[in-house]
Amino acid sequence: MHHEEIKKTVLAALKEDIGAGDITTTLVVGSSHKSKGVILTREDVVLCGMAFAHEVFSLLDPKMEFMAHFKDGDKVKKGASLITLNGKTRAILTGERVALNFLSYLSAIATRTHFFTEAVKPYPVKILDTRKTTPCARPIERYAVRCGGGVNHRFNLHDMVLLKDNHRVISREKEKLSETVRRLHIKTHKKIEIEVDHLWELEEVLKAHPEMVLLDNMTPLELKKAVVMTRKCCPNKPPLLEASGGITLENVKKIAATGVDRISVGSLTHSRKAIDMTLELMG
Amino acid sequence: MHHEEIKKTVLAALKEDIGAGDITTTLVVGSSHKSKGVILTREDVVLCGMAFAHEVFSLLDPKMEFMAHFKDGDKVKKGASLITLNGKTRAILTGERVALNFLSYLSAIATRTHFFTEAVKPYPVKILDTRKTTPCARPIERYAVRCGGGVNHRFNLHDMVLLKDNHRVISREKEKLSETVRRLHIKTHKKIEIEVDHLWELEEVLKAHPEMVLLDNMTPLELKKAVVMTRKCCPNKPPLLEASGGITLENVKKIAATGVDRISVGSLTHSRKAIDMTLELMG
Amino acid sequence: MHHEEIKKTVLAALKEDIGAGDITTTLVVGSSHKSKGVILTREDVVLCGMAFAHEVFSLLDPKMEFMAHFKDGDKVKKGASLITLNGKTRAILTGERVALNFLSYLSAIATRTHFFTEAVKPYPVKILDTRKTTPCARPIERYAVRCGGGVNHRFNLHDMVLLKDNHRVISREKEKLSETVRRLHIKTHKKIEIEVDHLWELEEVLKAHPEMVLLDNMTPLELKKAVVMTRKCCPNKPPLLEASGGITLENVKKIAATGVDRISVGSLTHSRKAIDMTLELMG
Amino acid sequence: MHHEEIKKTVLAALKEDIGAGDITTTLVVGSSHKSKGVILTREDVVLCGMAFAHEVFSLLDPKMEFMAHFKDGDKVKKGASLITLNGKTRAILTGERVALNFLSYLSAIATRTHFFTEAVKPYPVKILDTRKTTPCARPIERYAVRCGGGVNHRFNLHDMVLLKDNHRVISREKEKLSETVRRLHIKTHKKIEIEVDHLWELEEVLKAHPEMVLLDNMTPLELKKAVVMTRKCCPNKPPLLEASGGITLENVKKIAATGVDRISVGSLTHSRKAIDMTLELMG
Amino acid sequence: MHHEEIKKTVLAALKEDIGAGDITTTLVVGSSHKSKGVILTREDVVLCGMAFAHEVFSLLDPKMEFMAHFKDGDKVKKGASLITLNGKTRAILTGERVALNFLSYLSAIATRTHFFTEAVKPYPVKILDTRKTTPCARPIERYAVRCGGGVNHRFNLHDMVLLKDNHRVISREKEKLSETVRRLHIKTHKKIEIEVDHLWELEEVLKAHPEMVLLDNMTPLELKKAVVMTRKCCPNKPPLLEASGGITLENVKKIAATGVDRISVGSLTHSRKAIDMTLELMG
Amino acid sequence: MHHEEIKKTVLAALKEDIGAGDITTTLVVGSSHKSKGVILTREDVVLCGMAFAHEVFSLLDPKMEFMAHFKDGDKVKKGASLITLNGKTRAILTGERVALNFLSYLSAIATRTHFFTEAVKPYPVKILDTRKTTPCARPIERYAVRCGGGVNHRFNLHDMVLLKDNHRVISREKEKLSETVRRLHIKTHKKIEIEVDHLWELEEVLKAHPEMVLLDNMTPLELKKAVVMTRKCCPNKPPLLEASGGITLENVKKIAATGVDRISVGSLTHSRKAIDMTLELMG
């Protein structure tokens, strides 16, 4: 993300959290009082959000020293100090919550993504995110996924053709699937992916020559069969196979073992358990 | 939230998700094709976000019929249909993901809040949220907490005085706590809450006559002692006692039983497991 | 106010005043011509708005020297020079009006507030502003009040409960006042103030135990009686008494003498007489 | 002003005044409760701001009946009811302050302007406003001046050439005034006005053939002399003469009698005494 | 484009053109005066921009009757009336220029695109636009291209991989082209296009198996050779060939005849000759 | 234009062109890789847009060295290098298109304007632009006209009175033209121009004493007659005569020779042929 975008997002977050002024800090701490502060993580974490934390404190005290001990994407152990601050106490106390919110929210996504990418490490498979992101926060959530080693799926509906179940219900009314795909290839330069919900649909789909096939909610056994069928049917340039639906940390390795090329995991972004972090003031 | 705010938020979310256009739907579905669609929940849920879903489809097709079968705050059983849509197929398919994202994200918060309020039902205690919200999304997350039966804590740093650990470290340098509180009561009309991390601090805090006391990270036993000490020390108008830190669905009932007045739970908003919902097209 | 907010406000004011370009200055003054300029006050003033004036000239000439001879809140005598500028003549002439508008408008509020706070100096009473501010300019008008020694009342309708006449008309339909207040204390953590228009209402109000009472449009004699009645009725923790309505520089001292705790004055912000200031160019 | 601009301004004002929600009204008044309300003026007034008041209540309750008994520019007697409202009680109470702020602020400007235009009625002179407006509120303050019978001066620095004292100091360095004006007439299609601070400057200025002359801070006697000198010097197409500086309701008639064409009055907008208006709920 | 986007764009254009008010119309035409007006084209045109024209007049007079005699994409003969208006004269006169600007600007792009698509009609080739659009106006210019029968190229730099000359200079430092493409296919799901400036580069490029090849600034003869070479080299699934650079209405047919699949034409949007249209008032 | 405006415009243009990220550059070029780049013009040009190009690269790499070899308004020969860049390769490649779009678009307008001003050089006539600009881009297009030696016409409808054909149709219903103009001169301080479509209208128009007359769509012979008639009719202070309608590079000199004062040319901005420029990377 461009620095101006980060600044705009952080300003909005600060405005939301400060409202008409941080009355506690203003009334209790002198405007020239200075302190040292340290931000620590209380859990193992794949770090994400440092630029946001930096911006928070720079906006509140342009002279704040911000010493980053790690960078986005680093694996950090529980108890480690992430950032040392040196500057106006008011800025440290007023910015604390917003900075921690960015760090613990984004690191939660990066860390969760990392668990998935670690789990499938032995296999040449990619872990992808989905469009199940918090409304209006997709760019930063997608960035966190990348920090965790994941790969971004299409960013929006303009990025790629994905013929889902519902689209196929409609298009089936007028033409064969291979007709539809041929027509699409002429009208757009985007890649085409087709969703398949049942193994018996796969053959027809493969004949339409999409660049990718989305295998939705299939068991490892079905996925395995789909891989075999695909290799047999398109030996030269087989479409990429993406497994999707109900993927968990428990079953992801088994799914990776089926030979699919990509696994997309909604819970990378739609669910989260914020990382526990804290700011300690050194007086 | 005011309708204009909802519209602005939904427009931004649609823009993010649609980008320069939903190429799949535009290429596959005719612009005058109409369908019926149904949004279903696949889990038991306390519903939240209906106005957002409504706005999504109204913006995409001003003539869309939107039949809501439930309203925000309703408890809905797994499998129930929440909304029936009747209008342009393109609008239904293009809006599907954004509408589901709002509903499953906000309902997740409402439902989780409901679990907490149910757990403490026998006790006259309130479940509160915290400032640990997604940056820039606090108003809607707070609304979801209310739908789940929770009570909102201070909205921002201007709303209330909360002397946290870090503030007390600083203010202790110049004056006694009771002095600080007396001074604050003159300078602001906001209520004052003081954080207490150890039981031995409580007596000094009570003598300062705050309106609320935040008991941070205490065991049920410590909380119980704090309740007793408070009633003894301020029999006429005791401050409200708020328990905070490490509250889970497992321990919340035990904490409610200690007699505290309020329990604030970060995980209402900082963590979440999106509710599984889906849209089915009726052709 | 945060620097980014000041910048945004000043940019909007400059855009409004400059339109598609300051044709006079552009046509008459060379782009590299430099001058010294001085901003003077032609009246005694409590100064307010220096950060805005600074921003005006910085935006028009980033290298402008801006020497402030006083700071916000200072009492300055008629004729004194407030600011010395040294930089591009075009920037000085183009920015003159906007800078003077900010300074004379905000200083008018600060100065008027100061007159009130001076008038009641012998008494331990606070002068407060009201919500009668220029639409969309509340934060800066409230800041000017603070510069004049005043105290800000609730910033907005979310800040505090204030049961005004009209609210009480409605709520009386369903429950007793003390019932209402008890219910409110449970539902919100904000302080509660109740408006009283007639002395005979006061007793019922005091029994409801609000944190503050607003005595609206009462004579000094009535206010005095209200103070006595309150002390008698609630000897331990009496609510703060706020006098309001028809307060002028002529009667404010008499009202302070009645023993009320707070006096809120609409005319601090709703009326004003701009301070006469001028910019002189030194060639 | 265009309706979309009014809506944007009112939305911003409501957001400022309501913050995260009107807690008093929400907690005390039922969401379906309806009332009748009346807005009254407690002073004689030239009315201004009805479209803003209308927008306030429409945004809060789209079904609110808003009966306007007068329109902008009308002269209304003290005690008259201006608007009758019929709709949701919550909307009436939440919108009250913002609606009254717009009405009493804008009517104050219209009424003050009316006093000036009335005072000079016997003379064919125009009352003009100045650029001494509240930052970012010029369009609406200028509209109020028109409602009071005044004429708007240049809207911004792009609207007209006005060679003020400070410009003339600079331009004098390089060329004669008549040279400057000739050059300006070629470079721009805007009218040219020249400020004159002393009678002895007038002759040189008249020879430069500006379309208008600003006579700054002159006594009625000096103004009279200026009028005579101008008519003598330019019998065919004399420039318009504008008196400015220190104009008050006390001296404006004497100044009008001197024969100047225009009188510009800073205090139309830079100072104000808000009109006292109130909203009464009819239960 | 979504209606809210059109409204926002039109509002900004009106604000730009009207400034603080259309003084001519306001001073000359009564506010309730009504007229009929007709918008005519003085050249043959492929129409584009009707929704913008409609929005202009709706914003200025919500009750304006707007009768469209043609729709976007229609071919209209010189002299035909495009729109009949019936409503407030002020709205018609004030909106005239902005409405004409949108219509003649967008129709110019649609008409020019149409000339190109007509010229290549005998061939199965697509006419594409480029990223050479007016800054910040790409969505509407791209829409105009579609109205003229053209196909949109990638909307932005996120839409597709396009290895241009400059990229290849850099990447060549570290790896072979086919290595680069293989790596890219793993890291992104977007299609890959490679620019080729000389025929002797083509073979290496084809071996890298991109989805598209951009043949930049080649003669028809070179393009023909490229087509032959490609078919020979990749008989099964040849990449799409795009001709680009120096395409004019004079040479486009010859280029189409070479057998390339796509021709991208910068001048569709980077150059234009506005269509001459006019509004006539019917009194 | 103010630097903040330029920055805002460039940021919007970059956002439009980059979308969710420049995937090609990110995937192919290392984040710390540096290069030298040169922007060249492939046509003779009057340069315009350097501040925009500078801003593009500063926003993408704050440390980018940007060496400008010419400045806006300079006449530059085909083949000359305009700018040398030295900084992050990613910034150079990602910003290339947006920078070139600004430069070639604005230089096209400046260059075209220059052709017109050169053509009329022997005559004391001014070349003016019109309101036929790209919606929302008027300020920058007007700036380009000035760079090419042209003079800006009224910026918007608030800038000047221009009684066009359609206005005169309406006003004729109620009063004589000279009445209308007299009335306008009282109500506004703006200059007044009147459109004349036929020579026989000119006399009546001259008698109304406007400051300018717009001679629309007249032949050189008619224009010549109009000049003579005007000088005869108003020997002292004749209105400025502006020729308009159908002006081309072919006929402009003949029109200048008629003795009119101003020639307004719609095609300065409504039509354009982008200047061919390119960026070459030096590795």
Side-chain angles (χ1 to χ4, degrees), chain C residues 70-243:
Chain C
F70 295 94
K71 63 180 199 305
D72 281 5
D74 283 356
K75 281 166 235 168
V76 185
K77 283 286 168 198
K78 171 180 174 172
S81 68
L82 306 171
I83 298 159
T84 303
L85 298 165
N86 218 322
K88 296 214 169 143
T89 311
R90 282 190 177 180
I92 295 175
L93 291 177
T94 298
E96 170 182 353
R97 184 74 268 141
V98 173
L100 290 177
N101 279 355
F102 274 111
L103 287 169
S104 60
Y105 150 49
L106 295 176
S107 298
I109 294 174
T111 304
R112 185 173 179 76
T113 304
H114 177 69
F115 290 159
F116 277 92
T117 54
E118 279 298 294
V120 303
K121 224 179 179 173
Y123 303 96
V125 72
K126 298 281 156 199
I127 297 296
L128 281 90
D129 50 24
T130 66
R131 281 165 49 236
K132 296 179 179 174
T133 52
T134 309
C136 308
R138 189 169 292 163
I140 65 176
E141 299 193 345
R142 289 289 177 99
Y143 169 70
V145 165
R146 292 197 299 275
C147 287
V151 169
N152 292 332
H153 209 298
R154 61 174 175 169
F155 188 80
N156 57 36
L157 294 166
H158 188 255
D159 244 22
M160 205 175 88
V161 174
L162 176 38
L163 282 169
K164 305 193 89 174
D165 212 31
N166 283 332
H167 295 105
R168 290 177 58 198
V169 167
I170 308 299
S171 73
R172 197 174 298 139
E173 294 169 8
K174 31 178 201 188
E175 60 188 358
K176 283 176 57 187
L177 183 61
S178 54
E179 252 337 285
T180 306
V181 173
R182 196 193 332 269
R183 200 165 49 80
L184 293 177
H185 268 308
I186 292 167
K187 289 229 182 138
T188 174
H189 60 274
K190 305 296 169 67
K191 284 194 180 167
I192 296 174
E193 181 165 19
I194 306 179
E195 181 180 325
V196 165
D197 294 346
H198 308 284
L199 267 189
W200 50 261
E201 297 174 320
L202 182 58
E203 201 182 330
E204 187 201 359
V205 164
L206 290 173
K207 281 180 184 158
H209 294 299
E211 273 97 359
M212 287 171 275
V213 173
L214 180 71
L215 303 163
D216 198 33
N217 276 315
M218 293 198 179
T219 64
L221 188 64
E222 289 172 310
L223 289 171
K224 193 137 210 170
K225 283 185 187 167
V227 170
V228 172
M229 196 187 306
T230 303
R231 283 185 192 150
K232 205 156 89 189
C233 181
C234 326
N236 290 328
K237 205 173 174 184
L240 291 176
L241 295 182
E242 173 179 346

Side-chain angles (χ1 to χ4, degrees), chain D residues 2 4-5 7-8 155, chain E residues 7 11 15 20 59-60:
Chain D
H2 191 274
E4 296 290 325
E5 295 282 316
K7 187 173 162 186
K8 204 174 136 191
F155 188 79
Chain E
K7 187 174 165 186
L11 259 176
K15 206 173 164 183
L59 281 168
L60 294 171

Side-chain angles (χ1 to χ4, degrees), chain D residues 24 61 72 88-89 154 185 216 231 235 237 243 256 263 280:
Chain D
T24 310
D61 175 6
D72 281 5
K88 295 214 172 144
T89 311
R154 63 174 174 169
H185 269 308
D216 198 33
R231 284 183 191 152
K237 206 175 174 182
I263 303 175
E280 282 180 17

Side-chain angles (χ1 to χ4, degrees), chain A residues 7 11 15 20 59-60, chain C residues 2 4-5 7-8 155:
Chain A
K7 187 174 164 186
L11 259 176
K15 206 173 164 182
L59 282 168
L60 294 171
Chain C
H2 192 271
E4 296 289 326
E5 295 281 316
K7 187 173 163 187
K8 204 174 137 192
F155 188 80

Side-chain angles (χ1 to χ4, degrees), chain A residues 186-187, chain E residues 120 123-128 149 151 260-264:
Chain A
I186 292 165
K187 290 228 183 137
Chain E
V120 304
Y123 303 96
V125 72
K126 299 280 156 199
I127 297 296
L128 282 90
V151 169
V260 294
D261 306 283
R262 300 146 54 107
I263 303 176
S264 56

